[in-house]
Amino acid sequence: GTLDATVAVNHVTTTGDRKQVGRVIIGQIHAKDDEPVRLYYRKLPANKFGAIYMAHEPLTGDEQWYDLIGSRASNAKDNEDGVALDEVFSYRIVAEGDLLTVTIIRAGKPDVVQKVDMANSGYNKSNQYMYFKAGVYNQNNSGEPTDYVQATFYQLENTHKKR
């Protein structure tokens, strides 16, 4: 299946634990218990630009993290190639067999592509149904009660090949 989205992150949290500040999931594939992919946007309060990164969570073993644009670190330096709040960009998440491909698409910049071989991740079993999710999933539960995340989705399409 494929999930195509065009989005702008408008606001991220600015208070709370520094490991959680500014983090929001904007797209993912969810399986029965875990997530084959979570796509994050993160902007630190002192930085002008944010980062985009992803996590792949095998059913056993450690999560695998991939920085796509900038760094997910809690002390990341501002990256001029990063993604500003309110900047419109697109992403594509494709799961085809054991191959997961995440692409970040920005006007005037080369696409950023990350491929992950999921052959040993445990998702190729019949009970590991997967479904796509797009939205704004705040990853900071330590901030002030009035702190929030917000994004605008301009386009969203989910397609699946028939078998």
Side-chain angles (χ1 to χ4, degrees):
T2 301
L3 177 63
D4 284 302
T6 299
V7 62
V9 178
N10 310 113
H11 191 271
V12 295
T13 59
T14 57
T15 63
D17 184 308
R18 66 182 274 177
K19 291 182 179 179
Q20 295 182 359
V21 168
R23 294 185 323 155
V24 57
I25 294 174
I26 56 174
Q28 65 183 308
I29 298 176
H30 209 292
K32 182 180 174 195
D33 298 310
D34 297 303
E35 296 99 8
V37 65
R38 292 186 312 272
L39 184 62
Y40 291 81
Y41 174 88
R42 183 176 198 191
K43 187 192 145 322
L44 300 175
N47 291 353
K48 180 177 179 185
F49 299 101
I52 297 177
Y53 59 96
M54 61 179 268
H56 170 65
E57 184 178 22
L59 294 181
T60 59
D62 295 332
E63 287 183 314
Q64 300 163 13
W65 294 91
Y66 302 90
D67 288 343
L68 304 175
I69 298 172
S71 168
R72 71 183 184 278
S74 299
N75 62 349
K77 303 284 185 238
D78 208 6
N79 177 347
E80 289 188 17
D81 194 43
V83 180
L85 289 175
D86 297 319
E87 179 181 336
V88 177
F89 64 95
S90 297
Y91 67 78
R92 171 174 283 162
I93 300 173
V94 178
E96 194 166 5
D98 288 331
L99 183 62
L100 171 69
T101 306
V102 175
T103 305
I104 306 299
I105 304 139
R106 298 166 70 194
K109 300 194 182 251
D111 291 354
V112 176
V113 179
Q114 179 65 57
K115 294 180 182 283
V116 177
D117 181 354
M118 298 192 301
N120 296 314
S121 297
Y123 294 109
N124 52 4
K125 298 180 176 42
S126 63
N127 69 341
Q128 286 300 319
Y129 55 86
M130 291 191 254
Y131 57 95
F132 290 93
K133 292 172 71 176
V136 184
Y137 305 100
N138 188 356
Q139 297 300 290
N140 180 358
N141 60 9
S142 65
E144 296 295 324
T146 57
D147 213 354
Y148 66 99
V149 294
Q150 178 181 327
T152 303
F153 280 82
Y154 297 93
Q155 179 267 336
L156 188 62
E157 183 178 4
N158 180 230
T159 56
H160 294 277
K161 290 182 181 177
K162 293 184 181 189
R163 292 184 172 193

